[in-house]
Amino acid sequence: MANQASIDWSGVNGRGGQLSANSPLDQGGHQQSVIRQVSIIGGKGRDGLHDAIDRLDLNMGDVVSVVGPTGSGKTTLINDMELFADGDTPTGRRILINGETPPEVFRDDPSRNPIALITQHTSFLSDLPVDVFLHTHAGIRRSSSREADELVRQTLDFANQLTGEPISLSSSMTELSGGQTRSLLIADATIICDTPIVLLDEVENAGINRSRALELLRGYKKIFIFVTHDPRIALLSDYRIILRDGRIADVLKTDARERALAPTVARFDDVLSDIRDRLRQGLRIENFDFGDVA
Amino acid sequence: MKLAICAGTATTGKSALLHHVIPRLQRRGWSVAFLKIDVQYADEDERFARDFSIPTRKVYSGDLCPDHCNVMVLGDAVQWAEKSGADILLVETAGLCLRCAPYVDRGLGIVVVEATSGMNLPRKIGPILSLADIAVVTKIDRVSQAEREVFRARIMEAAPQVRIREVNALHGIGVDPIADAIARQPDIDAELTLRGNPPVGTCTICVGKKTIGWQSHFGVVRALENQTFYRGE
């Protein structure tokens, strides 16, 4: 994977490798096509120390991990982004869109909230059939019914690549399994939602194909932020934001060595998943073949 | 003094929201007093007094609709809050039938609705939403982005002039603009008037008398100090 992190320490807008502009959504001429970059202007943590960055530019197409222990300020960072902080939150951080302070309407209009959010607690409450549900969501985008049909088709196709159990359009939302639900949540937030940023907060243990998910997400011109403890996701990200004591302590670009290590970590992870599956099926796991991993 | 009335059914997150709003107002230098109106049980008065060292009161409406109770006691409560030296009175009340709205002129009306209550909720509730200044949507992390967006679109359709704020009231995400709106609110007038028309009924509030204060009403009335008593012929 030849992705370059586009970390900009100085404020000069450097642009990294992958700006994959092939998302079908880009032709719609709506929000994402105008927002090219979201920047964080550093503030300070609870201890009064400054963020380790003066400015961090998140460009469309970036896959970013946010890591740090509980209470380290991950939620606060998300709060700053959701609010388009302008030096008026406890951290004093500022959020810029395309290098400029966003207009007041961005802060006042919740439909301009830049973040689509999926957490480990997120689920579908609706009992509508999948088809009707997705059309209801696509419908509020006021696209034509032909466009809505296309969005729904793409969403389902995306979701089905993440889950092992195909989702049928006629099944009820509440009948979906955990893995199907998680896959559809991600697909819907990526394809039908109008937000430039999709935040996935600790969704790792969700029965989805994570490597495939990251591969697919890179095809969409959005910023994907994973709040994660999962080494596999962290190493497949372009860079990771490290939080400590409420401040951004560091930003680490995934380097060549880490990228080279990622497949091994993924195999470890697969081995563990396999063990998990066997335990679930009531099998014994003695004489397990760890292959070249151990 | 400024007044903000926060309404919404039980367990939507009104108290969680105000628990984040109060320290934000205090950091901006405001003195806050808090009144809780509930039907038969509430402990937020004790909690807020302990956590923020502010004057707090509670009133149980009992057989009275909480919004009626609000009309009765609010006049007294404003005086009490002024005597306590508060700049801002926050009132939290459970809107039960959703047909009344407890908001008054020049007071900020905040309705708290939870995203988990289903995409049709904004179409089901009346003046408690449409007469509010701000609709605060809680529990946004619990529902799919799709349901959150449809919920939002339907509030805009049912109450186009209401400002919407989506918050995580547990962690205080998105709360700052609500504290700002309260702080920007003008002071209230000496005479308070209910913003909307109450539904048809038989007590003086039910038949449409909107003047605040039990002194202006007949039938079963209630003062902040006294519990229920009868006033009239």
Side-chain angles (χ1 to χ4, degrees), chain A residues 5-17 37 55 57 59 62:
Chain A
S6 42
I7 305 172
D8 191 333
W9 308 89
S10 62
V12 180
N13 295 351
R15 172 61 230 171
Q37 186 186 62
R55 171 171 171 160
D57 292 335
N59 291 292
D62 283 356

Side-chain angles (χ1 to χ4, degrees), chain A residues 192-247:
Chain A
I192 304 184
C193 283
D194 214 2
T195 58
I197 300 175
V198 179
L199 175 76
L200 300 113
D201 190 352
E202 294 183 34
V203 293
E204 41 254 40
N205 297 320
I208 55 161
N209 184 335
R210 283 157 293 157
S211 299
R212 182 73 186 130
L214 268 83
E215 216 175 291
L216 283 175
L217 294 180
R218 288 187 184 283
Y220 286 85
K221 229 174 125 189
K222 292 192 180 222
I223 298 163
F224 293 92
I225 301 180
F226 287 86
V227 175
T228 187
H229 304 297
D230 182 345
R232 183 173 194 155
I233 291 176
L235 290 176
L236 286 175
S237 304
D238 298 319
Y239 48 94
R240 46 195 192 270
I241 302 174
I242 289 106
L243 285 152
R244 197 178 298 141
D245 298 326
R247 68 192 195 94

Side-chain angles (χ1 to χ4, degrees), chain B residues 19-175:
Chain B
H19 197 268
H20 284 287
V21 164
I22 292 168
R24 282 169 169 78
L25 289 170
Q26 288 179 317
R27 276 203 294 274
R28 290 163 170 79
W30 300 98
S31 300
V32 180
F34 172 76
L35 170 70
K36 167 88 179 185
I37 301 172
D38 217 318
V39 181
Q40 55 182 34
Y41 177 79
D43 60 5
E44 288 78 9
D45 55 327
E46 292 157 40
R47 213 173 110 220
F48 287 9
R50 190 178 61 234
D51 292 354
F52 307 123
S53 308
I54 57 167
T56 65
R57 294 290 303 256
K58 81 177 143 207
V59 176
Y60 291 142
S61 59
D63 294 335
L64 215 52
C65 157
D67 287 344
H68 285 202
C69 186
N70 171 59
V71 174
M72 292 295 178
V73 305
L74 193 57
D76 290 352
V78 166
Q79 285 180 14
W80 160 75
E82 271 169 352
K83 259 189 223 140
S84 317
D87 312 309
I88 297 174
L89 172 62
L90 294 183
V91 179
E92 177 186 338
T93 176
L96 276 192
C97 65
L98 312 170
R99 177 57 193 83
C100 291
Y103 320 118
V104 297
D105 288 343
R106 293 175 73 84
L108 186 73
I110 304 170
V111 63
V112 180
V113 287
E114 48 190 358
T116 47
S117 51
M119 294 184 289
N120 283 327
L121 181 90
R123 293 175 167 176
K124 291 178 182 173
I125 62 177
I128 196 173
L129 171 65
S130 59
L131 290 179
D133 297 298
I134 302 180
V136 175
V137 183
T138 56
K139 305 186 188 176
I140 47 173
D141 59 326
R142 295 299 173 110
V143 304
S144 64
Q145 199 62 34
E147 283 153 301
R148 177 174 169 182
E149 292 189 356
V150 174
F151 194 85
R152 182 199 296 149
R154 289 186 176 167
I155 292 179
M156 294 196 273
E157 164 197 296
Q161 78 297 345
V162 173
R163 274 173 286 159
I164 304 171
R165 297 301 326 182
E166 294 177 338
V167 309
N168 178 330
L170 268 188
H171 297 112
I173 296 179
V175 170

Side-chain angles (χ1 to χ4, degrees), chain A residues 39 69 134 183 278 291:
Chain A
S39 309
L134 292 177
S183 303
R278 284 171 184 239

Side-chain angles (χ1 to χ4, degrees), chain A residues 33-289:
Chain A
S33 55
V34 252
I35 297 181
R36 297 177 306 275
Q37 186 186 62
V38 178
S39 309
I40 302 166
I41 305 296
K44 57 186 186 334
R46 281 189 297 277
D47 49 11
L49 290 174
H50 281 272
D51 284 330
I53 47 127
D54 291 329
R55 171 171 171 160
L56 178 63
D57 292 335
L58 311 177
N59 291 292
M60 291 298 134
D62 283 356
V63 176
V64 187
S65 285
V66 175
V67 297
T70 310
S72 58
K74 301 191 287 283
T75 304
T76 310
L77 177 65
I78 304 314
N79 186 42
D80 288 341
M81 298 180 81
E82 282 210 326
L83 287 177
F84 294 103
D86 190 22
D88 52 358
T89 61
T91 62
R93 288 186 190 121
R94 291 171 58 220
I95 304 300
L96 308 182
I97 301 288
N98 300 341
E100 288 170 19
T101 304
E104 191 65 25
V105 60
F106 272 63
R107 315 184 90 205
D108 264 4
D109 177 358
S111 66
R112 301 296 193 105
N113 181 333
I115 299 181
L117 175 74
I118 301 170
T119 76
Q120 50 193 332
H121 307 298
T122 306
S123 60
F124 295 112
L125 300 171
S126 169
D127 53 4
L128 293 170
V130 171
D131 189 26
V132 177
F133 180 85
L134 292 177
H135 271 98
T136 305
H137 187 199
I140 62 165
R141 293 260 302 260
R142 295 177 208 284
S143 41
S144 72
S145 80
R146 198 179 53 79
E147 283 168 343
D149 286 348
E150 177 58 19
L151 283 177
V152 170
R153 194 196 59 74
Q154 284 172 24
T155 305
L156 199 71
D157 181 55
F158 188 115
N160 279 333
Q161 294 191 56
L162 303 189
T163 171
E165 332 138 75
I167 301 164
S168 130
L169 273 176
S170 59
S171 49
S172 157
M173 298 296 294
T174 41
E175 283 166 10
L176 301 177
S177 73
Q180 288 176 322
T181 299
R182 213 55 34 175
S183 303
L184 200 56
L185 281 168
I186 295 173
D188 170 77
T190 303
I191 295 172
I192 304 184
C193 283
D194 214 2
T195 58
I197 300 175
V198 179
L199 175 76
L200 300 113
D201 190 352
E202 294 183 34
V203 293
E204 41 254 40
N205 297 320
I208 55 161
N209 184 335
R210 283 157 293 157
S211 299
R212 182 73 186 130
L214 268 83
E215 216 175 291
L216 283 175
L217 294 180
R218 288 187 184 283
Y220 286 85
K221 229 174 125 189
K222 292 192 180 222
I223 298 163
F224 293 92
I225 301 180
F226 287 86
V227 175
T228 187
H229 304 297
D230 182 345
R232 183 173 194 155
I233 291 176
L235 290 176
L236 286 175
S237 304
D238 298 319
Y239 48 94
R240 46 195 192 270
I241 302 174
I242 289 106
L243 285 152
R244 197 178 298 141
D245 298 326
R247 68 192 195 94
I248 297 176
D250 208 350
V251 177
L252 294 179
K253 187 177 154 185
T254 309
D255 64 19
R257 253 191 341 189
E258 287 172 333
R259 263 200 294 276
L261 204 61
T264 313
V265 171
R267 279 203 302 280
F268 258 119
D269 199 46
D270 288 341
V271 165
L272 281 177
S273 309
D274 199 9
I275 293 176
R276 198 176 296 126
D277 281 347
R278 284 171 184 239
L279 285 169
R280 272 187 188 152
Q281 290 161 24
L283 301 173
R284 297 209 172 270
I285 51 168
E286 53 197 281
N287 300 325
F288 194 82
D289 178 18

